[in-house]
Amino acid sequence: MRIVFAILPPPPITDGQRWIAFVDESESNSALDPNVYILAAVLVCAEAVSFMRSRMAALHVRGERKLHWAKESACRRMEIIAVIDDLDALFCVVVHEGDPVASTERRRRKCLDRLL
């Protein structure tokens, strides 16, 4: 088992500022990345959540409720990356790979342990 992580300096925090974390997960595709579990998090200043939601909502294709990376074209992915790169947030991704006998719950728990 190998857990990959990076620690980045957090955005500057002023007195009384609140941060909100949004977390998403992705399970392994056995053909592309066997035994991999990915947990991604973004930390956002609470006061900026509305602005960031509107920036992300503007990227939705008409009739779609949300963005789904796997369904986006390469061109759209670059557009999404450009918007996300411009946001004032802290991003963290934890990857658990290996350990073919580990359950999804164990992989998730290991990633959460590292994230927190």
Side-chain angles (χ1 to χ4, degrees):
M1 174 187 63
R2 181 169 71 120
I3 296 177
V4 181
F5 68 99
I7 298 174
L8 304 173
I13 298 174
T14 60
D15 289 340
Q17 214 170 25
R18 275 188 328 118
W19 289 85
I20 297 173
F22 296 91
V23 181
D24 196 13
E25 62 187 339
S26 179
E27 279 199 84
S28 176
N29 175 329
S30 59
L32 299 174
D33 52 6
N35 308 315
V36 171
Y37 187 89
I38 301 169
L39 192 64
V42 59
L43 279 135
V44 178
C45 179
E47 289 78 22
V49 170
S50 293
F51 169 76
M52 291 188 186
R53 283 184 191 272
S54 67
R55 291 284 290 144
M56 296 305 293
L59 290 169
H60 293 187
V61 175
R62 186 178 199 142
E64 295 289 327
R65 280 187 48 241
K66 62 181 182 176
L67 295 173
H68 198 283
W69 190 256
K71 296 179 182 178
E72 302 293 347
S73 68
C75 183
R76 282 275 300 151
R77 287 179 179 185
M78 294 307 293
E79 181 183 352
I80 294 165
I81 289 169
V83 169
I84 291 171
D85 186 47
D86 196 41
L87 298 176
D88 187 19
L90 176 65
F91 304 93
C92 180
V93 178
V94 181
V95 179
H96 179 285
E97 66 178 345
D99 199 4
V101 296
S103 67
T104 297
E105 291 77 17
R106 179 170 172 74
R107 290 178 182 149
R108 179 183 298 120
R109 188 173 59 251
K110 289 289 197 180
C111 286
L112 277 171
D113 285 349
R114 182 62 67 177
L115 180 66
L116 300 175

